[in-house]
Amino acid sequence: MLNISPLHATALRHPNAIALRFGPSPNAYDQAPGQAGRPEPSTQEGLALSYRELSRRVLQLGQRLRRQGLEPGARLGCVSGNCLEAILLYWACVDNGLLFCPLSPRLPPGQIRAMRREFALTAIWYEPAAARGAADLRLGLEDEPEAQDKLPPPVIDAGQAVNLIFTSGSSGKPKAAVHSLNNHIASAAGARSLIPLAPGDSWLLSLPLFHIGGLAILNRCALAGACISLPDPRLSLAGQIRHDAISHLSLVPTQLWRLLRGDADGVGFDPGQSSLKALLLGGGPMTQALLDALAQSRLPAFCSYGMTEMSSQITTGQAQADGNSGSLLPYRQLKLVDGVIWVRGETLFLGYLQAGKVCKELDDQGWFCSGDRGLIDGAGRLRLLGRVDNQFICGGENIQPEEIENALRLHPDIEEAIVFGEADAEFGLLPSAIIRGELPDPAELREFLQPRIAGFKRPRRYYPWPELTDQGGLKLARKRVIAAVLEAKSPGS
């Protein structure tokens, strides 16, 4: 059982292993030119920190946070993208019993202020690019080499709360999920049982820290002594895979498609020459065209099913054409109740922060309802069927939109599909589909779907994908897409 942070434990075991690679930082580190604490000089190759160096900087930052009056239990907001400062803040929070609360820099200032009030955040640090004059915490990240041996790693309680991750779930209203370090340790250990990770490996931090997938990468690498590579804005994804010898990579389907197809992010990417040992995919189902391209690439790809409340991955397996999400990882439990997935285990979060208290929404045996429907095949692999709250009734028949969407994605011209129930006087709701990609003729789609799904499930109307701003989320914003389509077709719009 760890009694010091995994970061410091690894610094003792592998002091010279590279912990972090990053390019020239766009941030000003809170100081004006000429003051102590300016960024280190950048080189063409970027910068690298060993575990010894990263550990020392975290200890220094923890001391500064204490000097600024942040005591154990304080809640520290962090409004930033993935950067050195955010990583240092996370581990400093772990050391000092603070609650690390990462927030997207895309959130409007009014929403950040409202979340600060609702969840009683003690202070907020803003990445300079996102501050907009609102910063109320200065980090002072100047390096103090002489302090290296003066600050021993503090003893910690790995069972206490270490972070809030805001998840909207199906309601659209943010919920603050609370995790302990033990949750993250169990999550990382289970993931490593299937996807090995060791010193010398390098995982690209391609998912934001305000998403559980990004925070999971931080903890996995620290526990294994592997290196985290921060995204370099000067490089394409393919370029950074090559430049940093990336061995592990987490992507959503859209990112993978761009990489394999040779878009701007994939120019010059040769799967046969890459250093990739594992490609972990999540964030939604994949089209047949993408599965075919993935099979041809021969990349070591894994599909997973996970959720914030279970500290990231729950099931994982090699990506296969049937679209299953793999088998249950260690330290997790899963069962189906009337086709709905329930979970528990060592990775299960501490609860939601509500009215100043951490509240668990569990049954009397400690099971958490995921709200997802699924089935388990004879090999023990999970197949997702869709969200319970996406289901609708058409003329007395239950319709699960994801079943229809999966069938539509098999069409070679369709990149993405969303199915929803549209009001009808006779049937109550009829299935309609929104298509991204080249929209085939409806008659062609009827013929295409005929052998794949029942007649009453086939969409009656098809709409082109709407133009939306800020589509950078990791999950498909289905409610926004549906709302945009309905608004465009309403009278007077």
Side-chain angles (χ1 to χ4, degrees):
M1 182 66 67
L2 283 175
N3 63 356
I4 62 173
S5 156
L7 173 71
H8 302 312
T10 296
L12 294 173
R13 293 194 312 271
H14 306 288
N16 297 318
I18 299 301
L20 186 65
R21 286 194 184 94
F22 52 102
S25 172
N27 297 334
Y29 285 63
D30 294 323
Q31 281 85 28
Q35 290 183 319
R38 293 178 63 193
E40 296 182 41
S42 300
T43 69
Q44 278 301 109
E45 298 302 314
L47 303 168
L49 292 178
S50 68
Y51 269 95
R52 179 192 288 118
E53 285 292 308
L54 188 61
S55 171
R56 180 169 58 80
R57 293 193 182 203
V58 167
L59 292 171
Q60 290 175 5
L61 177 58
Q63 187 177 62
R64 294 190 186 99
L65 294 177
R66 292 191 296 274
R67 287 172 181 167
Q68 294 190 58
L70 291 173
E71 300 178 349
R75 299 167 189 168
L76 178 54
C78 176
V79 181
S80 79
N82 289 348
C83 59
L84 170 62
E85 299 94 321
I87 293 173
L88 293 173
L89 269 178
Y90 171 67
W91 290 116
C93 286
V94 170
D95 278 350
N96 291 277
L98 309 177
L99 211 57
F100 179 70
C101 310
L103 295 165
S104 170
R106 293 181 174 181
L107 293 174
Q111 186 173 356
I112 293 176
R113 289 193 295 270
M115 293 172 75
R116 179 174 189 169
R117 288 192 300 271
E118 180 175 358
F119 299 105
L121 303 187
T122 310
I124 298 181
W125 177 78
Y126 289 80
E127 181 181 19
R132 296 185 286 263
D136 62 8
L137 181 70
R138 297 172 69 84
L139 298 186
L141 296 181
E142 63 270 11
D143 194 15
E144 298 176 5
E146 69 279 2
Q148 181 169 349
D149 300 320
K150 298 179 182 178
L151 299 172
V155 174
I156 63 170
D157 176 4
Q160 71 179 5
V162 295
N163 70 266
L164 295 182
I165 291 289
F166 294 94
T167 175
S168 61
S170 59
S171 67
K173 179 178 172 56
K175 288 184 173 182
V178 183
H179 300 91
S180 70
L181 190 59
N182 280 338
N183 290 152
H184 296 307
I185 291 171
S187 177
R192 206 164 69 218
S193 71
L194 183 64
I195 303 176
L197 185 64
D201 288 334
S202 181
W203 203 310
L204 181 64
L205 192 59
S206 53
L207 305 178
L209 293 180
F210 51 81
H211 185 279
I212 190 62
L215 205 57
I217 293 173
L218 233 59
N219 287 283
R220 281 188 214 124
C221 288
L223 286 157
C227 173
I228 287 175
S229 285
L230 284 172
D232 189 332
R234 305 168 302 169
L235 299 173
S236 67
L237 177 57
Q240 185 154 15
I241 291 172
R242 187 170 56 249
H243 182 274
D244 288 354
I246 299 297
S247 61
H248 294 66
L249 183 61
S250 299
L251 296 179
V252 296
T254 299
Q255 293 171 308
L256 175 61
W257 184 245
R258 290 171 181 165
L259 184 66
L260 296 178
R261 194 168 55 182
D263 288 356
D265 278 351
V267 172
F269 179 66
D270 181 354
Q273 298 297 317
S274 82
S275 52
L276 286 174
K277 297 179 181 179
L279 176 60
L280 184 60
L281 302 168
M286 294 190 290
T287 64
Q288 188 61 47
L290 181 53
L291 286 168
D292 292 343
L294 187 59
Q296 291 176 7
S297 75
R298 299 187 179 276
L299 287 170
F302 297 83
C303 286
S304 67
Y305 165 62
M307 59 194 307
T308 300
E309 291 83 354
M310 284 292 282
S311 310
S312 189
Q313 295 163 259
I314 301 171
T315 66
T316 303
Q318 291 190 331
Q320 296 181 351
D322 65 2
N324 77 77
S325 297
S327 302
L328 190 66
L329 294 171
Y331 313 110
R332 293 93 162 145
Q333 297 177 54
L334 182 151
K335 69 176 181 178
L336 298 179
V337 178
D338 297 326
V340 177
I341 299 169
W342 290 68
V343 290
R344 69 179 183 185
E346 294 180 42
T347 67
L348 183 63
F349 74 145
L350 299 180
Y352 296 116
L353 182 63
Q354 298 173 344
K357 297 180 180 179
V358 177
C359 305
K360 294 185 177 182
E361 297 183 0
L362 312 177
D363 71 4
D364 56 7
Q365 294 181 317
W367 290 93
F368 178 80
C369 181
S370 71
D372 295 315
R373 298 180 62 249
L375 57 83
I376 298 174
D377 66 16
R381 298 172 302 190
L382 177 68
R383 184 177 183 85
L384 290 176
L385 301 179
R387 293 285 304 171
V388 171
D389 48 16
N390 287 341
Q391 192 177 80
F392 62 90
I393 297 175
C394 171
E397 299 280 359
N398 289 331
I399 290 185
Q400 190 68 49
E402 290 87 347
E403 178 191 2
I404 308 169
E405 293 164 3
N406 290 337
L408 286 167
R409 290 189 190 102
L410 297 175
H411 193 286
D413 293 334
I414 293 178
E415 297 176 12
E416 186 56 88
I418 290 179
V419 171
F420 66 100
E422 191 166 8
D424 180 81
E426 181 178 356
F427 293 94
L429 294 170
L430 283 172
S432 294
I434 307 167
I435 302 297
R436 182 164 63 191
E438 185 177 337
L439 184 57
D441 182 78
E444 177 191 342
L445 284 174
R446 280 195 298 273
E447 184 177 348
F448 177 79
L449 293 174
Q450 192 274 331
R452 293 175 169 85
I453 56 175
F456 70 89
K457 298 179 181 179
R458 293 175 215 154
R460 308 305 199 271
R461 298 185 185 91
Y462 291 92
Y463 300 98
W465 202 268
E467 300 236 351
L468 292 175
T469 59
D470 190 18
Q471 299 184 68
L474 298 181
K475 294 185 178 181
L476 189 61
R478 60 186 303 128
K479 289 185 178 180
R480 285 189 62 210
V481 174
I482 293 169
V485 165
L486 293 178
E487 183 180 352
K489 73 183 288 279
S490 63
S493 62

